[in-house]
Amino acid sequence: MMRDAEARDVIRFAIESEFKCEVVTAGSVTRVIDTLLEGELYDLLVLEMYTQSSKLVRFLLSVDSNAPLILLQSKDAPSIPGVDRMRVLATLQPENAVAGIRAAIKQSNLNAKVTLDGDPSEFVRIQTTLLMKMVPLDADVFIRLSPKKYLRIFQSGDVFSAEDLERYYLKKNIPYFYCRVADRHVCLNKLKAIVQKKLTEGIQPRDVPGLVAETADILFEVMDTEGMTPEVVSFAQTSISAVIQGVRLRPQLSGLLDGLDMAKGTYRATHSALLAHVASVIGMRLNWVSNSTLEKLGFAALFHDSTLKSDELVKIETPEECDEIGGYQREIDNMKQIVLNHPLMAAEVIRKAKDLPPEIDMIIAQHHERPDGTGFPNKINHTQIAPLSALFIVAHEIVRLHLDKKLTVKEILVQLPGEYKQGVFKQIIQALRTMTDVVEV
Ligand SMILES: [Fe+2]
Ligand SMILES: [Fe+2]
């Protein structure tokens, strides 16, 4: 922003000669504010400082602008309060503007900060809350400006600080950042190392479901784009080891939601992490305690809804519920097919993974069957449902009612219909009733 039109042209030339960008000029403070209010993000602001500029400084502070500034200020111009709280790259005398602007741009490496036009499939999401755990960042990190536009905010090697978390997560309400698909392995490996470090340091058992839920989102992001790669399986194995370690130390169902912040992740991640915990606790109570059994339950929990890509679909319990969501009949029918088929599709996905214990696919394929035969897809009843699947079905019901309806485990046990008292289901419900913490909650 310069008041003088000729000076604006000179400044434009200085910027364009050093920085690949589109320059927007304005001749007054009001014009600058109007332009900024249109919502476009700017990589650099070059501002002439005069009395009226105090209004602009107040505006930039009020919107928490993080754009770097170059200030042009003549010797006799007044100093403006608040400037010291802004990101000033250089304060220049107007007569030195051209050389000074070029030097400041070069020094700040602005050309390295790029806005990419990209296909959304070229980026994977990372929760904002996870970035703080991943410092120093091993990959460039972007925010999504629009479905096809990504802006690099952090470069590999940068630190995502507590102030950044406050600025982006709490104040600007940005739950996710993005990294390039090519960098997803780097992020996944870093998260795996975090879980492993927590395991060796001795994580508090109560904190395990929260940690697994938080890290499961990027696991699912990678799985959605690449399938069950050895890397995905290895990451899942690390998370499941954390669950088993936590459950062996504290085989209880009370305080399940204590360590979970639902705002931090997707429903699919939270629901799957909690399910791994609840299924393992029930396994312990039934004395089905071998590592192999608990691992089967853990893998089934993490991947049972792997083909459902939206939280809306994960929350659906029966294909008929799709009618309640509404929309065009063709969309509803399509949704019903996805829901109806997902146990078998997800079983198929896990079958492709190498070196996993057997029966995980069976548990996943049966996870929506019901003791009285009213479930789906095969409508088998308690005489045909395998014991491990029965345990998993009960655990899934507990997690669903606990998360969605905020019922305690004790209330859930009272609510379960009579058919849960048949065959192996009866044994599972009895084991749950004997848990002291279930009686207490
Ligand atoms: Fe589920
Ligand atoms: Fe499901």
Side-chain angles (χ1 to χ4, degrees):
M1 186 270 300
M2 293 288 285
R3 286 172 292 177
D4 183 273
E6 205 172 304
R8 282 200 299 275
D9 287 342
V10 174
I11 301 298
R12 175 197 283 274
F13 163 76
I15 298 170
E16 284 178 345
S17 65
E18 202 57 54
F19 185 24
K20 289 186 217 80
C21 65
E22 192 185 323
V23 178
V24 177
T25 59
S28 71
V29 165
T30 316
R31 279 289 311 279
V32 180
I33 294 177
D34 286 348
T35 308
L36 292 172
L37 281 173
E38 283 167 18
E40 197 69 42
L41 291 173
Y42 290 91
D43 296 309
L44 173 69
L45 300 176
V46 180
L47 305 174
E48 182 189 0
M49 290 283 105
Y50 66 108
T51 316
Q52 285 295 309
S53 301
S54 59
K55 191 176 160 195
L56 179 56
V57 169
R58 275 200 305 278
F59 170 80
L60 290 171
L61 288 171
S62 73
V63 296
D64 200 20
S65 167
N66 193 36
L69 305 171
I70 294 177
L71 306 179
L72 305 178
Q73 190 159 15
S74 52
K75 276 194 194 110
D76 51 352
S79 61
I80 291 179
V83 169
D84 54 329
R85 284 185 278 146
M86 305 179 76
R87 205 175 140 204
V88 179
L89 299 182
T91 303
L92 306 168
Q93 305 280 332
E95 55 271 28
N96 300 330
V98 173
I101 287 173
R102 295 185 64 182
I105 291 174
K106 202 177 248 174
Q107 206 174 17
S108 62
N109 204 17
L110 276 177
N111 274 319
K113 183 175 170 170
V114 287
T115 307
L116 291 182
D117 283 321
D119 181 336
S121 67
E122 290 167 14
F123 293 87
V124 288
R125 296 187 310 183
I126 310 173
Q127 282 155 264
T128 309
T129 48
L130 273 184
L131 288 174
M132 239 177 90
K133 297 182 179 170
M134 297 169 68
V135 293
L137 299 169
D138 290 338
D140 293 345
V141 174
F142 300 78
I143 55 169
R144 191 169 72 165
L145 302 178
S146 70
K148 287 196 161 184
K149 220 167 194 186
Y150 296 81
L151 174 73
R152 181 159 66 195
I153 298 290
F154 297 98
Q155 283 179 257
S156 177
D158 282 353
V159 169
F160 188 90
S161 65
E163 290 81 57
D164 291 321
L165 186 72
E166 184 171 335
R167 180 183 309 139
Y168 293 109
Y169 183 65
L170 299 176
K171 288 193 179 159
K172 295 196 177 168
N173 218 358
I174 299 175
Y176 290 100
F177 276 72
Y178 292 79
C179 73
R180 290 190 186 92
V181 164
D183 289 331
R184 66 195 175 272
H185 302 280
V186 173
C187 297
L188 200 61
N189 283 337
K190 189 123 188 181
L191 288 177
K192 186 177 155 191
I194 291 167
V195 179
Q196 268 165 343
K197 186 158 175 267
K198 294 249 178 200
L199 276 178
T200 51
E201 282 172 354
I203 183 171
Q204 286 294 318
R206 271 179 184 273
D207 296 334
V208 174
L211 177 70
V212 174
E214 262 185 274
T215 52
D217 258 327
I218 191 157
L219 173 75
F220 291 154
E221 285 286 319
V222 176
M223 181 195 65
D224 287 348
T225 50
E226 290 194 28
M228 294 294 292
T229 61
E231 203 172 20
V232 167
V233 173
S234 157
F235 185 97
Q237 179 72 63
T238 306
S239 294
I240 291 161
S241 299
V243 171
I244 295 173
Q245 185 173 310
V247 166
R248 287 202 190 284
L249 289 167
R250 187 178 178 274
Q252 290 176 16
L253 296 179
S254 58
L256 272 181
L257 305 183
D258 291 354
L260 287 175
D261 180 350
M262 294 299 289
K264 281 188 183 175
T266 59
Y267 182 87
R268 176 165 63 153
T270 310
H271 152 97
S272 304
L274 222 48
L275 182 51
H277 176 87
V278 173
S280 300
V281 170
I282 302 176
M284 295 283 287
R285 291 289 160 163
L286 287 163
N287 227 7
W288 301 352
V289 291
S290 71
N291 257 346
S292 145
T293 298
L294 298 182
E295 271 179 15
K296 287 175 195 175
L297 292 168
F299 273 105
L302 284 187
F303 298 109
H304 73 288
D305 285 333
S306 69
T307 57
L308 300 179
K309 309 289 191 231
S310 80
D311 280 352
E312 193 178 42
L313 290 175
V314 174
K315 286 181 184 174
I316 291 175
E317 264 304 287
T318 64
E320 292 69 41
E321 283 176 33
C322 297
D323 289 319
E324 292 162 24
I325 293 174
Y328 291 109
Q329 194 54 46
R330 214 175 40 185
E331 285 168 357
I332 297 171
D333 291 344
N334 184 33
M335 212 187 296
K336 275 186 185 172
Q337 273 311 309
I338 292 171
V339 172
L340 187 66
N341 293 333
H342 87 269
L344 296 182
M345 302 277 284
E348 188 60 39
V349 170
I350 201 87
R351 222 171 276 135
K352 289 186 183 139
K354 291 197 177 81
D355 303 323
L356 287 186
E359 298 183 301
I360 301 169
D361 58 333
M362 171 203 72
I363 300 171
I364 292 178
Q366 296 183 353
H367 81 270
H368 281 287
E369 303 293 353
R370 289 289 166 265
D372 63 352
T374 59
F376 67 94
N378 291 327
K379 299 193 180 306
I380 54 177
N381 65 24
H382 68 92
T383 62
Q384 298 149 296
I385 295 172
L388 268 184
S389 306
L391 183 164
F392 195 84
I393 291 165
V394 172
H396 194 267
E397 194 63 358
I398 289 174
V399 170
R400 188 176 75 82
L401 293 170
H402 199 51
L403 277 181
D404 298 357
K405 305 261 193 283
K406 306 285 174 270
L407 296 179
T408 65
V409 180
K410 188 181 175 189
E411 287 166 340
I412 294 165
L413 290 181
V414 172
Q415 273 208 0
L416 289 180
E419 61 266 22
Y420 277 85
K421 295 169 186 115
Q422 294 174 300
V424 69
F425 284 91
K426 186 179 174 186
Q427 192 190 344
I428 294 163
I429 301 296
Q430 273 174 351
L432 277 167
R433 284 194 201 289
T434 61
M435 291 179 66
T436 52
D437 69 309
V438 168
V439 178
E440 282 161 12
V441 286

